[in-house]
Amino acid sequence: MNRDIQSILLSERKIRSISKRIGREISRDYADKKLVLVGTLKGALPFMAEVLKNITVPCEIDFVKVSSYGSGTTSSGTLKILLDLLRSDMAECDVLIVEDIVDSGNTLSKLTKYMREKGAKSVRTCTLLDKPSRREVEFEADYVGTVIPDEFVVGFGLDYDEKYRNLPYIGVLKKEVYQK
Ligand code: IMP
Ligand code: MG
């Protein structure tokens, strides 16, 4: 285990089984749709890849990049689109936004609204982790991997100051790493 990690919250094995279940649910729900998975860079990349392997219906992938945290550990509340979808077929797309974690709810509630304004046929959301105790806005994702307590976690795409994304598990970051 990495020495900055206090404890492992989700093992590689658990992440794989969660992704399998979600892939099955998505395949069932999107059988007759034009599914476009839209990953939020950078954090959602490993989870999106894992879910993608378990989707058995036709689907496309795309990405957006939005700003949330900077280098701190609290959300800013304003959503900046740093990389947008470049598609001319939005009206046909059943967009499923894939995110690593829902915390305050600001990112996904705003991004969902934005995708609807861009004219997507439908917009739903999928997240690996959910921290409902930290919500600032009312928001529930349509597909949730697992609910976690109010701890700052890293690994499997999630970072602190751009580090730890490469860990194959989700772990709680030691407080001394960010409370200096
Ligand atoms: P929200 O807008 O507050 O819901 O935050 C969503 C974004 O905040 C996520 O996409 C993450 O990038 C980041 N985030 C929230 N909680 C954590 C955490 O525990 N570890 C790492 N990043 C987090
Ligand atoms: Mg993120």
Side-chain angles (χ1 to χ4, degrees):
M1 192 166 85
N2 184 292
R3 63 191 171 90
D4 293 344
I5 301 300
Q6 179 187 300
S7 59
I8 294 180
L9 212 56
L10 282 187
S11 65
E12 288 187 70
R13 201 183 144 144
K14 184 72 192 161
I15 294 171
R16 273 202 301 274
S17 77
I18 285 172
S19 306
K20 242 186 209 158
R21 176 197 28 103
I22 289 185
R24 267 201 304 268
E25 291 172 4
I26 293 170
S27 305
R28 179 197 64 203
D29 298 346
Y30 284 84
D32 300 311
K33 302 207 152 78
K34 180 169 174 171
L35 172 60
V36 182
L37 293 184
V38 176
T40 57
L41 293 172
K42 304 164 193 172
L45 183 74
F47 176 54
M48 180 158 160
E50 202 59 43
V51 168
L52 189 62
K53 292 195 284 186
N54 292 291
I55 292 179
T56 54
V57 296
C59 77
E60 294 183 25
I61 61 168
D62 225 318
F63 296 93
V64 291
K65 189 174 180 191
V66 298
S67 75
S68 53
Y69 270 7
S71 60
T73 58
T74 51
S75 176
S76 68
T78 51
L79 184 78
K80 252 197 267 168
I81 311 278
L82 305 174
L83 175 73
D84 205 347
L85 284 187
L86 300 169
R87 311 184 62 109
S88 52
D89 63 345
M90 283 305 283
E92 292 151 37
C93 295
D94 293 297
V95 167
L96 179 57
I97 303 169
V98 183
E99 175 64 300
D100 48 9
I101 186 166
V102 183
D103 188 40
S104 69
N106 282 311
T107 304
L108 277 192
S109 65
K110 293 200 170 99
L111 195 53
T112 302
K113 188 164 168 268
Y114 181 72
M115 289 294 156
R116 292 203 172 113
E117 283 165 5
K118 274 178 86 74
K121 187 173 179 192
S122 70
V123 185
R124 299 180 88 189
T125 54
C126 170
T127 184
L128 173 58
L129 306 173
D130 189 3
K131 276 195 229 175
S133 59
R134 302 243 318 161
R135 275 309 187 281
E136 289 168 14
V137 293
E138 211 176 296
F139 180 83
E140 288 306 321
D142 298 290
Y143 303 90
V144 176
T146 189
V147 169
I148 63 164
D150 182 12
E151 305 263 26
F152 194 80
V153 294
V154 294
F156 206 70
L158 290 118
D159 74 305
Y160 170 66
D161 206 9
E162 293 302 323
K163 292 188 278 283
Y164 312 105
R165 293 192 198 273
N166 55 313
L167 300 180
Y169 51 82
I170 303 277
V172 177
L173 189 62
K174 285 183 183 164
K175 289 211 167 54
E176 67 224 47
V177 176
Y178 57 88
Q179 289 179 346
K180 272 174 197 152

